[in-house]
Amino acid sequence: MNLMNRMCLACLVFALPAAATATVIAAEVNPESAKIAADMPIADLHMHPDTWMIPSVIRFWMDRNGVGWAGAGAKRGGRATWENFSKKLGDRFIAFAGHSELVTIYKEGGIKAMLDAKNPGIQELYAAVEEDLKAGRIKGVGEIHINNRRSSSSDRFKRKGRTDAPSMRLFYALVARYDGFLTLHMEGDSDSVRQLEVLLASDRRGRVLLNHCGVNAGAKKVRSLLQRNPNLFCEISVRYPPVLKRSWGSYDDRKIFDSKGVESDWLKLIEDFPDRFMIGTDTDSGSVYDEAIKTVRGGLLPYLRPATARMVAHENAQRLFGLK
Ligand SMILES: [Zn+2]
């Protein structure tokens, strides 16, 4: 036996146990789902507006991909940025407040300032959010980066705070009063998960949309969270290629599906909780956007039951955010 063959044998010996424990990609396409997946409208719950972005260009991305609605908190420029998108895209834009304001508060005062309910910046944001919720201009507050220690491209941006900290309770109680949502970027650490459950139990009228469905949280953890908390929802941005970021740690642990199909444990989870999942993308590149929606239409929706595919693609978002 030459050296090459011996090396391959060694590979097999070491590779087999790992392969045996890995989740299996579900291979069965539902023909009816595959048919409707090709062109049914999609609601994208992770499209951040930014100061440099032109609303008509984003509308063009949406139109060429059959995306009916899209939105998330403004990356920069606060209220002026999302307001501009709301004005230009009308009901097709799903507006959330607070993202860039909370980033500024964090950059200036660190995690302590961001979690302090009495911080002047937090108080100012609270007053503005209440006005906008009351007037129906926004659907809630987010994306709030409460635990992105392993999931940020910039070291300066990485932090971990208590999900049930005073400022978080303050905004949660506010959205609960106005039938809105908090959207959270939160990795699946056990303490973060426990704190999230405290927040969710504090008022069941309040709702949380987990951005990236818990970032690195596995299907088992998300299942127990959904089981115990009827007021918790997921959007799946960044959990599939090409938006799945390799620099964020273990790629396979975070992947829910790819162009070839859905991980079996996630497929079962989505079918067991079909009214809790929504689509998200999270990119500022038009070509990556096209590829992401193509992967959703080819790698996720055809594997779901037709009724589930419709719910995940757009019906859940329509119901929860009052989209027409
Ligand atoms: Zn995020």
Side-chain angles (χ1 to χ4, degrees), residues 46 48 143 145 151 185 211-212 215 237-238 248 282:
H46 210 120
H48 293 289
E143 172 185 15
H145 289 84
S151 51
H185 179 126
N211 293 120
H212 322 302
V215 188
S237 63
V238 179
W248 284 13
D282 198 10

Side-chain angles (χ1 to χ4, degrees), residues 220-251:
K220 201 172 154 204
K221 193 167 273 182
V222 174
R223 174 180 289 276
S224 69
L225 266 172
L226 292 175
Q227 256 160 1
R228 287 195 298 265
N229 302 282
N231 48 340
L232 181 67
F233 302 84
C234 260
E235 62 86 1
I236 54 166
S237 63
V238 179
R239 302 290 302 254
Y240 57 95
V243 281
L244 184 52
K245 294 173 177 65
R246 289 202 178 265
S247 59
W248 284 13
S250 171
Y251 184 92

Side-chain angles (χ1 to χ4, degrees), residues 269-322:
L269 180 62
I270 297 171
E271 289 294 359
D272 287 346
F273 296 90
D275 54 348
R276 310 280 200 97
F277 287 87
M278 282 163 276
I279 306 299
T281 52
D282 198 10
T283 177
D284 50 19
S285 148
S287 58
V288 174
Y289 196 73
D290 296 347
E291 205 49 47
I293 297 296
K294 197 174 143 200
T295 309
V296 167
R297 291 193 187 279
L300 172 67
L301 300 177
Y303 296 87
L304 304 175
R305 288 195 287 250
T308 308
R310 282 190 200 94
M311 281 193 246
V312 173
H314 61 98
E315 287 176 358
N316 290 339
Q318 286 184 294
R319 180 186 83 249
L320 294 165
F321 300 105

